Amino acid sequence: MKNYLIALDAGTTSIRAMLYDVEEKRFVLTAQQEVEQSFPQSGWVEQDADEIYYKAAYVLNRCVTNAGAGRVLGIGLANQRETVVLWNRETGEPIAPAIVWQCRRTSEFCAAVPAEMRKTIADKTGLPVDAYFSASKIKWLLGNVPAAKKLITEGKLCAGTVDSYLIFKLTGNFVTDYTNASRTMLFNIHTLDWDEELLAYFGVPREILPAVKPCTALMGETVLSGTKIPLAGVAGDQQAALFGQACYKEGDGKITYGTGLFLLFNTGARCVTSRSGLISTIGYSLGDKITYALEGSAFNAGSCVQWLRDGLGLISSSAESEQLAASVPDTGGVRFVPAFTGLGAPYWNSDARGLLSGLTRGTTKAHIVRSVLESIAFGAKELADCMQQDSGICLREIKCDGGASANNFLMQFQADVLGITVNRPAERESTALGAALLCGIALGLFDVGELAALRKSEKIFTPVADRTQHEKWYQEYLKAVERALMN
Ligand code: ADP
């Protein structure tokens, strides 16, 4: 008889449960549901937490039914980060729409935080002050949802991220894990506790926040198809991907090439303070042993390929970009900067806008497509250079995943630009895999020392010996970025 784990991946646009065969160490089934987002005002993004829970329960049940009674040993969870839910502790009902990580409604408040407080926040949480993180979203909800005040006085209010809401609904326990807590801007990543000074600053009573546990803690038990199943192994999605990609050693890093791009880099037991505007965060914890990470992200990556397809109509599928880009030896002097919604680290400039430069009468769509793919790789190089400078640690290899990592031209170009190998895994669902592996460790089914050997590469992209040409192109790209910043 087979034994399984379930990885529940509660993403922003969809919720998936994937059945993981413990003996064969691979996924055998996926159940998926799309999740709605609503945009009630310009810059506002909300979701219905109830819908997130019902769809999670639905996909979990699909997996349990397929596995057979008693065959699921545990559930691991990875989730969209920073999104905030407020709910009634007695009924489990959300009292307002969830404020999603992309929501900018608190950006004015964040812009007005004084410099001294910014420094305190950065020192304690590893985060720059931004509407992206949970603290200002909780503050907004407490100030704007009348039911919140009443529930606080009655001792019945819960505020948490998506993981803690799902765990509460599934097990009845009010808990979160270190990685999710580290994205709230209320959690001190050095003392591993909610921080009194930050709680006071954002007006958040400690009692409304969950208990914080290691990623591999037993969070509780849920009943599915009449069977009790432990829920253990929890991490934010990017951190779960870091773990799923076997980035267990200091200097191991992964890049997820999705809609946006996320580079996470293991800095070991050391919490590195970035001088370049990168985020210091908790990578994962095995019991109380914390592994820190540096994180850098670009808002637009795969979305630029979507733009080529849907906005410009230059390609009919994302995959077509590979063959078009490879059909020309270079971009013919064309440079693209993917600053559709500003530029993140190291610039943090929300006024910058996209740019296409160097056009001539000889420019073809192949040149433009190639310049877009090259810009994704150059953006990743900027982040990788910042990380290496900030940490003094040398990146040896990049492990890649996400939709656009399927693009062989992009992955080869990335290796050439970085001068290190880019390693694409056979299992590209790194986030779900991370949740399954953390769950297996929590339940004592896997030994962390053995996990690195389980990761199989599908393809390794080796850099060209002479990178002079790529360095020249990178300098051209940086010049184009300077122009994009002048917008
Ligand atoms: P997310 O999880 O952020 O929704 P995914 O990891 O599913 O994103 O990746 C989807 C993105 O990858 C899309 O923006 C799409 O344009 C891009 N993409 C998919 N396949 C390719 C490809 N072969 N080449 C380049 N980009 C691709």
Side-chain angles (χ1 to χ4, degrees):
M1 286 281 251
K2 294 264 189 196
N3 288 312
Y4 301 98
L5 300 171
I6 296 176
L8 179 63
D9 179 359
T12 315
T13 52
S14 74
I15 297 212
R16 285 180 303 165
M18 294 177 69
L19 204 55
Y20 185 81
D21 183 320
V22 172
E23 282 75 34
E24 290 183 26
K25 302 225 169 19
R26 65 184 184 93
F27 287 114
V28 291
L29 181 100
T30 302
Q32 178 163 338
Q33 290 278 295
E34 302 300 316
V35 188
E36 297 283 324
Q37 277 181 291
S38 55
F39 309 94
Q41 291 188 31
S42 165
W44 288 35
V45 189
E46 296 183 346
Q47 279 185 322
D48 176 1
D50 241 351
E51 180 194 349
I52 293 177
Y53 166 65
Y54 286 119
K55 290 190 168 162
Y58 175 80
V59 291
L60 284 173
N61 272 306
R62 285 275 313 279
C63 279
V64 172
T65 310
N66 270 280
R71 304 324 312 168
V72 176
L73 306 180
I75 299 168
L77 170 65
N79 58 286
Q80 55 160 313
R81 307 174 299 175
E82 295 103 11
T83 297
V84 171
V85 186
L86 248 55
W87 70 94
N88 180 323
R89 195 188 287 257
E90 241 165 39
T91 64
E93 293 301 315
I95 63 162
I99 304 189
V100 179
W101 57 274
Q102 295 135 316
C103 186
R104 304 302 302 167
R105 79 182 64 180
T106 56
S107 46
E108 249 177 56
F109 168 83
C110 290
V113 172
E116 219 171 274
M117 194 60 202
R118 283 174 189 276
K119 180 162 184 333
T120 303
I121 291 173
D123 288 347
K124 291 183 172 195
T125 68
L127 307 173
V129 175
D130 194 274
Y132 179 36
F133 305 105
S134 317
S136 64
K137 298 181 197 292
I138 302 179
K139 180 182 169 58
W140 190 94
L141 284 166
L142 296 184
N144 289 278
V145 180
K149 280 199 190 77
K150 186 168 170 284
L151 287 177
I152 288 180
T153 50
E154 294 168 358
K156 289 189 208 152
L157 187 70
C158 294
T161 39
V162 167
D163 57 305
S164 64
Y165 180 66
L166 286 175
I167 297 169
F168 183 88
K169 293 290 279 187
L170 289 165
T171 73
N173 294 339
F174 188 33
V175 286
T176 187
D177 85 292
Y178 288 148
T179 64
N180 275 294
S182 76
R183 317 295 298 191
T184 59
M185 224 159 76
L186 296 170
F187 188 71
N188 187 316
I189 60 173
H190 311 284
T191 63
L192 303 180
D193 193 9
W194 301 118
D195 188 275
E196 288 303 336
E197 185 183 359
L198 302 185
L199 293 177
Y201 184 74
F202 288 97
V204 180
R206 179 184 273 266
E207 306 73 62
I208 70 169
L209 296 175
V212 193
K213 295 197 173 189
C215 299
T216 50
L218 174 65
M219 301 295 185
E221 282 182 331
T222 189
V223 178
L224 292 169
S225 296
T227 320
K228 268 191 189 167
I229 305 175
L231 199 160
V234 178
D237 52 11
Q238 293 304 323
Q239 283 93 335
L242 184 75
F243 199 80
Q245 283 272 32
C247 293
Y248 305 139
K249 292 197 300 290
E250 190 178 286
D252 286 348
K254 69 94 197 169
I255 300 182
T256 300
Y257 298 85
T259 308
L261 178 151
F262 287 88
L263 170 52
L264 264 78
F265 176 79
N266 180 326
T267 59
R270 207 153 54 95
C271 180
V272 174
T273 306
S274 171
R275 288 181 305 269
S276 339
L278 301 174
I279 291 167
S280 312
T281 200
I282 294 182
Y284 57 88
S285 71
L286 299 174
D288 272 328
K289 187 169 173 280
I290 303 288
T291 295
Y292 289 95
L294 271 176
E295 175 176 322
S297 55
F299 306 132
N300 288 288
S303 57
C304 301
V305 181
Q306 277 171 327
W307 172 70
L308 289 174
R309 189 192 60 193
D310 306 335
L312 297 187
L314 289 186
I315 50 175
S316 54
S317 70
S318 299
E320 201 188 319
S321 62
E322 175 177 334
Q323 161 256 320
L324 256 180
S327 72
V328 283
D330 54 42
T331 64
V334 176
R335 285 292 150 220
F336 175 70
V337 181
F340 293 136
T341 49
L343 285 169
Y347 307 102
W348 292 111
N349 185 319
S350 49
D351 298 325
R353 284 297 171 266
L355 178 132
L356 199 54
S357 70
L359 301 177
T360 67
R361 187 63 183 79
T363 300
T364 65
K365 69 175 177 179
H367 292 129
I368 293 176
V369 169
R370 182 171 171 132
S371 73
V372 167
L373 292 183
E374 288 191 0
S375 77
I376 298 173
F378 289 141
K381 177 174 165 59
E382 283 189 284
L383 294 174
D385 284 354
C386 291
M387 287 197 174
Q388 300 189 85
Q389 275 158 23
D390 286 349
S391 66
I393 303 170
C394 199
L395 263 176
R396 293 178 292 267
E397 176 177 81
I398 277 291
K399 290 161 176 164
C400 62
D401 54 50
S405 72
N407 191 305
N408 292 310
F409 171 84
L410 175 59
M411 293 302 102
Q412 182 59 50
F413 194 81
Q414 188 71 82
D416 294 341
V417 164
L418 288 173
I420 56 176
T421 53
V422 172
N423 184 324
R424 192 165 65 193
E427 176 52 74
R428 281 196 233 156
E429 295 294 344
S430 310
T431 300
L433 183 59
L437 297 182
L438 285 168
C439 181
I441 292 169
L443 300 179
L445 300 171
F446 306 148
D447 175 38
V448 70
E450 295 164 3
L451 291 185
L454 289 180
R455 184 188 180 281
K456 300 276 178 284
S457 301
E458 178 258 330
K459 195 170 164 73
I460 294 178
F461 299 86
T462 309
V464 286
D466 181 5
R467 286 165 50 220
T468 325
Q469 182 64 67
H470 288 84
E471 188 52 39
K472 188 173 153 275
W473 289 338
Y474 180 52
Q475 293 307 324
E476 284 174 22
Y477 167 78
L478 292 179
K479 278 214 182 94
V481 169
E482 274 172 35
R483 289 200 215 158
L485 288 166
M486 288 189 300
N487 269 350

